[in-house]
Amino acid sequence: MTEPLLPDTSDTPANPPAPPQHWYGDVLAADGGVVRVRPIMPADADALAAFHTGLSDRTRYLRYFGPYPQISPKDMYRTTHVDYHDRVGLVAVLGTAIIGVARYELLARQGPRAAEVAFVIADEHQGRGLGSVLLEHLAGAAAENEVEAFVAEVLAENEAMITVFREAGYQLQRSRDGSEVHLEFAIDPTEALRTVRDSREAASEARSVGNLLAPGSVAVIGASPERTRVGGAVLANLLAGGFSGPVFPVNLHRRSVRGVRAYATVREIPDEVDLAVVAVPPAAIGAVLDDCMAKGVKGLVVLTAGFGETGDTGLAAEHDLVAAARGHGMRVVGPSALGIANTDPAVGLNATLAPVLPQRGRIGFFCQSGPLGAAILGEAAARNLGLSTFVSAGNRADVSGNDLLQYWDTAADTEVILLYLESFGNPRKFSRLARRVARGKPIVAVSSGRLAAGTDMDRTVVRDLFGQAGIIQVDSISELFDCAALLACQPLPRGPRVAVVGNSAALNWLAIDAARSEGLHVHRPATVVDRGPGARPTEHGAQRVRPPKWGVRSAWRTERRPADAVSSAARADGVAVDGPVDLGPEATPADFREAVLAALRSDAVDAVIVVVAPPVPVPMEGFGDALRAAASAAPDKPVLTTFVAESGIPRQLAVRTTAGAPDRGSIPSYPDPERAARALARVDRYARWRDRPISPVVRPPGIDTAAAAALVEGWLAESGGRWLTDEEAARLLGCYGIDVVEFRAVRDADQAVAAAEELGYPVAAKATGELWRRRPDLIGVRLDLWGPDAVRQAYTDLVAICGDPLLHLQKMATKGVGCVLRVTDDPSFGSVIQFGLSGMIIDLLGDRAYRALPLTQEEASALIDAPRAAPLLSEGPGRTGVDKGALAELAQRISALFDDIPQMRELSCDPVLAASASAEIIYARARIGPEPSRFDTGPRRLA
């Protein structure tokens, strides 16, 4: 199509400016397919003409209010030549074809800036939610250009268009004039809009993963008859796994592979291909991708290695692969993936390289590393734990753990989620998703050391941030499955009180020691009768006791104790809290059943750890039957055991489904009681987190976001990213009601005295260099200066010491406990706030608590109570308590600052003096920088 020469105007420029790069994005339609959204450009004229011609008469009538078979040259020019400010156009593209168009034009009218909006979707793509996606992205562009409201004129009979506006979450003002409906609505991102966006995002991402895990057909590109080759191993697993659909081997040189008709390329396959598993050398990926795009394949699992893990060249090839696949509607698992699996009998998908795939179960598992994934699957199978679905994403170039969380959140066949995380694609989104998903399904995660690579983060940070989101954080694959076995088979504990029942005195006490060290409370029901050599003296005259060794674990011995000493350990409610129920080495299955059932029926017990360790080999079926019978009689309390040191779900303790897999009610076993206690403690902490009411993010009063944003934008325009001066930092914090104790910068003794007079005595004089601020000997500080002479002398002394005439004179703050509040920008987790008491010893001990931003009201309070030294903030012998509420509010205000101003990179408030009625910041440093990509805060898009 030849473009006519039309006038060059301000809103229809002949040479439009470059479109904003952040307006480009890949998005998911409601059916899980990928569509690219980008700004419209003059070069789109031919594709736009083809799009318009392809619309049905009905669609053109509803969009243009009459027949409009062809776009006029004038309208085409105006549509494709926009200024990306007052006039904006976006297109949805699949491959090279435009499948949707959305536009707005600024209206010339009084009042708030408003623009008229319209969009149209190709007939064959209607019903995929693309209108809602384009509206979201158009509203995001309009908000950047300070447009406050959208106006739309819609035919009254165009109910589909009206529904798009209504269901987007906007508050519509609606009026009717004959056959037309006038709609007007503000586009500011309200909570309702965010809720609708998040709900649609969750549904589309879940559908996207569901399409990969339940394909109707699979092609194996690079299929081989040899099991030792990648293409041979995955094909053999697919065929052996009983996949419910057709499998198409693709091999250029063979007519069949493993007895299945083969094809030279995926294009030659006569049927549709939903999923392609790619196992070819990296050099052949380009041709394979072209074939898949031409065939219309919906998803790729790329087993091929040699991409991002090899360096910059491989990473660039990886990005090109994903961009091309997404541009044609495909999602990618990998590259360098182990594969994906779905054990649902209706699907039977084993598109992995793993030699062993666990049986059907209720656990979903996500990891990245291929070799690690194989080891994980082998470990799960060895423990008799079943999986529902499994994804090894390799380099995680596209499909990530966030996508799997969205899928498993609504997957009825998955009750427990396991993650092995090496990196995050979108940490803010991960935190948001995990908090929501963990409310209904437990998430257990191993955090690789790579999460903290190149940062100051350590496992303490990971633990705190995971705990904030409700994630059960573990340190190894063994601990991962320890928790998974308990969560998949037993109910959550209702509290931390645990009873220990067993026939080995030594192992019983190991369990008690481990339980107490993990924060559990050991309770011994007084109604249970001991039968072992460590029996209670009221029954058999002896009680196994712990020798008085402090801080050292040692073997336990049996010794006589007076009856009154033992009875003092029992509370008035009939519960002893100092020992196990020792059944003795000759305990029978009936003894175990009686003791475990009595413990489970006790109102003072929330869980039971059972130690079954016969001194000589005996048949174990009777013991298994006894434990299962006791547990089934009280199914609301968890039972876990050390069952002759087995790990996982022993066959004797399994309650099986009709398919023979372990079901709920099965009793998990651990090699030693310490691991059992550790797993129970972690699950108990998760249960307590889940029981807490959801706390809102509360914005304290007195916040001026607009003023803060204007300050930051001005500073960035002058010099780019930098540390703010002390005065600038105080001014910025003041916009959020965060006051730094008033100070003045002075350069001679006379200025110092004048500043002291203005501030009011007493004052402090301080050197300004970083070398002097944090010295523990306070050599760069003079405190409690009550008069001009003292101020002059202090100024003279400090200049002589530090050699810099610039000092700060500051009002004396209320004396209190020194604290530290800092925010750092971490590449793995986003903005992270930390709190602790100040001081060199505390710094050496690393006693800090961490939370991801934004903070809810409850999280802010919990942050202040989290450090080990936090009791020093409460009232105690020789000290008055501080105002912890003021500290929590300060943390909330800092959270709001970082949430509102994305250019904030770092903040340090050190020290903060916490007193009985205040929390005052003595010194604050702040760093600003260019806004990072924050895909979690704008319109939906794939990272």
Side-chain angles (χ1 to χ4, degrees), residues 485-499:
L486 179 56
L487 291 163
C489 297
Q490 291 289 309
L492 294 177
R494 292 179 292 188
R497 303 168 301 176
V498 59

PDB file of all heavy atoms in Angstrom, residues 485-499:
ATOM      1  N   ALA A 485       6.598 -35.117  52.652  1.00  0.00           N
ATOM      2  CA  ALA A 485       5.931 -36.342  53.083  1.00  0.00           C
ATOM      3  C   ALA A 485       4.900 -36.050  54.161  1.00  0.00           C
ATOM      4  O   ALA A 485       3.785 -36.593  54.155  1.00  0.00           O
ATOM      5  CB  ALA A 485       6.960 -37.346  53.591  1.00  0.00           C
ATOM      6  N   LEU A 486       5.250 -35.194  55.103  1.00  0.00           N
ATOM      7  CA  LEU A 486       4.319 -34.852  56.176  1.00  0.00           C
ATOM      8  C   LEU A 486       3.126 -34.072  55.642  1.00  0.00           C
ATOM      9  O   LEU A 486       1.970 -34.358  55.979  1.00  0.00           O
ATOM     10  CB  LEU A 486       5.060 -34.040  57.242  1.00  0.00           C
ATOM     11  CG  LEU A 486       4.240 -33.559  58.446  1.00  0.00           C
ATOM     12  CD1 LEU A 486       3.562 -34.722  59.150  1.00  0.00           C
ATOM     13  CD2 LEU A 486       5.128 -32.791  59.415  1.00  0.00           C
ATOM     14  N   LEU A 487       3.383 -33.090  54.777  1.00  0.00           N
ATOM     15  CA  LEU A 487       2.305 -32.251  54.256  1.00  0.00           C
ATOM     16  C   LEU A 487       1.363 -33.016  53.335  1.00  0.00           C
ATOM     17  O   LEU A 487       0.164 -32.765  53.317  1.00  0.00           O
ATOM     18  CB  LEU A 487       2.908 -31.063  53.504  1.00  0.00           C
ATOM     19  CG  LEU A 487       3.635 -30.023  54.367  1.00  0.00           C
ATOM     20  CD1 LEU A 487       4.521 -29.149  53.497  1.00  0.00           C
ATOM     21  CD2 LEU A 487       2.612 -29.169  55.120  1.00  0.00           C
ATOM     22  N   ALA A 488       1.914 -33.959  52.571  1.00  0.00           N
ATOM     23  CA  ALA A 488       1.095 -34.686  51.600  1.00  0.00           C
ATOM     24  C   ALA A 488       0.231 -35.750  52.250  1.00  0.00           C
ATOM     25  O   ALA A 488      -0.794 -36.146  51.675  1.00  0.00           O
ATOM     26  CB  ALA A 488       1.991 -35.320  50.534  1.00  0.00           C
ATOM     27  N   CYS A 489       0.625 -36.218  53.441  1.00  0.00           N
ATOM     28  CA  CYS A 489      -0.065 -37.373  54.017  1.00  0.00           C
ATOM     29  C   CYS A 489      -0.810 -37.079  55.314  1.00  0.00           C
ATOM     30  O   CYS A 489      -1.738 -37.818  55.662  1.00  0.00           O
ATOM     31  CB  CYS A 489       0.938 -38.500  54.266  1.00  0.00           C
ATOM     32  SG  CYS A 489       1.722 -39.131  52.769  1.00  0.00           S
ATOM     33  N   GLN A 490      -0.412 -36.047  56.032  1.00  0.00           N
ATOM     34  CA  GLN A 490      -0.980 -35.804  57.351  1.00  0.00           C
ATOM     35  C   GLN A 490      -1.573 -34.399  57.441  1.00  0.00           C
ATOM     36  O   GLN A 490      -1.200 -33.509  56.674  1.00  0.00           O
ATOM     37  CB  GLN A 490       0.114 -35.967  58.419  1.00  0.00           C
ATOM     38  CG  GLN A 490       0.598 -37.397  58.594  1.00  0.00           C
ATOM     39  CD  GLN A 490      -0.445 -38.288  59.259  1.00  0.00           C
ATOM     40  OE1 GLN A 490      -0.988 -37.961  60.306  1.00  0.00           O
ATOM     41  NE2 GLN A 490      -0.721 -39.419  58.621  1.00  0.00           N
ATOM     42  N   PRO A 491      -2.496 -34.172  58.381  1.00  0.00           N
ATOM     43  CA  PRO A 491      -3.073 -32.833  58.548  1.00  0.00           C
ATOM     44  C   PRO A 491      -2.056 -31.871  59.160  1.00  0.00           C
ATOM     45  O   PRO A 491      -1.046 -32.282  59.742  1.00  0.00           O
ATOM     46  CB  PRO A 491      -4.250 -33.075  59.496  1.00  0.00           C
ATOM     47  CG  PRO A 491      -3.845 -34.277  60.286  1.00  0.00           C
ATOM     48  CD  PRO A 491      -3.086 -35.154  59.334  1.00  0.00           C
ATOM     49  N   LEU A 492      -2.343 -30.583  59.050  1.00  0.00           N
ATOM     50  CA  LEU A 492      -1.486 -29.588  59.688  1.00  0.00           C
ATOM     51  C   LEU A 492      -1.695 -29.621  61.197  1.00  0.00           C
ATOM     52  O   LEU A 492      -2.819 -29.809  61.673  1.00  0.00           O
ATOM     53  CB  LEU A 492      -1.817 -28.186  59.174  1.00  0.00           C
ATOM     54  CG  LEU A 492      -1.517 -27.896  57.706  1.00  0.00           C
ATOM     55  CD1 LEU A 492      -1.988 -26.484  57.350  1.00  0.00           C
ATOM     56  CD2 LEU A 492      -0.040 -28.056  57.401  1.00  0.00           C
ATOM     57  N   PRO A 493      -0.628 -29.440  61.970  1.00  0.00           N
ATOM     58  CA  PRO A 493      -0.798 -29.379  63.425  1.00  0.00           C
ATOM     59  C   PRO A 493      -1.544 -28.107  63.818  1.00  0.00           C
ATOM     60  O   PRO A 493      -1.418 -27.067  63.166  1.00  0.00           O
ATOM     61  CB  PRO A 493       0.637 -29.366  63.952  1.00  0.00           C
ATOM     62  CG  PRO A 493       1.442 -28.800  62.834  1.00  0.00           C
ATOM     63  CD  PRO A 493       0.783 -29.253  61.570  1.00  0.00           C
ATOM     64  N   ARG A 494      -2.312 -28.204  64.909  1.00  0.00           N
ATOM     65  CA  ARG A 494      -3.058 -27.044  65.386  1.00  0.00           C
ATOM     66  C   ARG A 494      -2.284 -26.245  66.425  1.00  0.00           C
ATOM     67  O   ARG A 494      -2.768 -25.243  66.939  1.00  0.00           O
ATOM     68  CB  ARG A 494      -4.398 -27.496  65.964  1.00  0.00           C
ATOM     69  CG  ARG A 494      -5.343 -28.030  64.902  1.00  0.00           C
ATOM     70  CD  ARG A 494      -6.646 -28.491  65.476  1.00  0.00           C
ATOM     71  NE  ARG A 494      -6.498 -29.688  66.311  1.00  0.00           N
ATOM     72  CZ  ARG A 494      -7.520 -30.374  66.815  1.00  0.00           C
ATOM     73  NH1 ARG A 494      -8.759 -29.982  66.577  1.00  0.00           N
ATOM     74  NH2 ARG A 494      -7.302 -31.442  67.555  1.00  0.00           N
ATOM     75  N   GLY A 495      -1.073 -26.679  66.752  1.00  0.00           N
ATOM     76  CA  GLY A 495      -0.249 -25.985  67.723  1.00  0.00           C
ATOM     77  C   GLY A 495       1.102 -26.657  67.833  1.00  0.00           C
ATOM     78  O   GLY A 495       1.379 -27.666  67.174  1.00  0.00           O
ATOM     79  N   PRO A 496       1.974 -26.136  68.695  1.00  0.00           N
ATOM     80  CA  PRO A 496       3.350 -26.640  68.783  1.00  0.00           C
ATOM     81  C   PRO A 496       3.561 -27.752  69.802  1.00  0.00           C
ATOM     82  O   PRO A 496       4.694 -28.135  70.057  1.00  0.00           O
ATOM     83  CB  PRO A 496       4.121 -25.385  69.203  1.00  0.00           C
ATOM     84  CG  PRO A 496       3.148 -24.642  70.063  1.00  0.00           C
ATOM     85  CD  PRO A 496       1.780 -24.900  69.484  1.00  0.00           C
ATOM     86  N   ARG A 497       2.488 -28.292  70.390  1.00  0.00           N
ATOM     87  CA  ARG A 497       2.636 -29.278  71.459  1.00  0.00           C
ATOM     88  C   ARG A 497       2.742 -30.684  70.873  1.00  0.00           C
ATOM     89  O   ARG A 497       1.859 -31.130  70.149  1.00  0.00           O
ATOM     90  CB  ARG A 497       1.452 -29.189  72.419  1.00  0.00           C
ATOM     91  CG  ARG A 497       1.281 -27.793  73.025  1.00  0.00           C
ATOM     92  CD  ARG A 497      -0.055 -27.656  73.722  1.00  0.00           C
ATOM     93  NE  ARG A 497      -1.164 -27.898  72.814  1.00  0.00           N
ATOM     94  CZ  ARG A 497      -2.445 -27.922  73.190  1.00  0.00           C
ATOM     95  NH1 ARG A 497      -2.771 -27.722  74.451  1.00  0.00           N
ATOM     96  NH2 ARG A 497      -3.397 -28.148  72.307  1.00  0.00           N
ATOM     97  N   VAL A 498       3.826 -31.374  71.195  1.00  0.00           N
ATOM     98  CA  VAL A 498       4.084 -32.682  70.608  1.00  0.00           C
ATOM     99  C   VAL A 498       4.332 -33.699  71.711  1.00  0.00           C
ATOM    100  O   VAL A 498       4.955 -33.399  72.737  1.00  0.00           O
ATOM    101  CB  VAL A 498       5.295 -32.615  69.643  1.00  0.00           C
ATOM    102  CG1 VAL A 498       6.544 -32.154  70.355  1.00  0.00           C
ATOM    103  CG2 VAL A 498       5.542 -33.954  68.970  1.00  0.00           C
ATOM    104  N   ALA A 499       3.815 -34.894  71.518  1.00  0.00           N
ATOM    105  CA  ALA A 499       4.109 -36.021  72.395  1.00  0.00           C
ATOM    106  C   ALA A 499       5.044 -36.967  71.665  1.00  0.00           C
ATOM    107  O   ALA A 499       4.946 -37.155  70.446  1.00  0.00           O
ATOM    108  CB  ALA A 499       2.822 -36.749  72.786  1.00  0.00           C
TER     109      ALA A 499
END
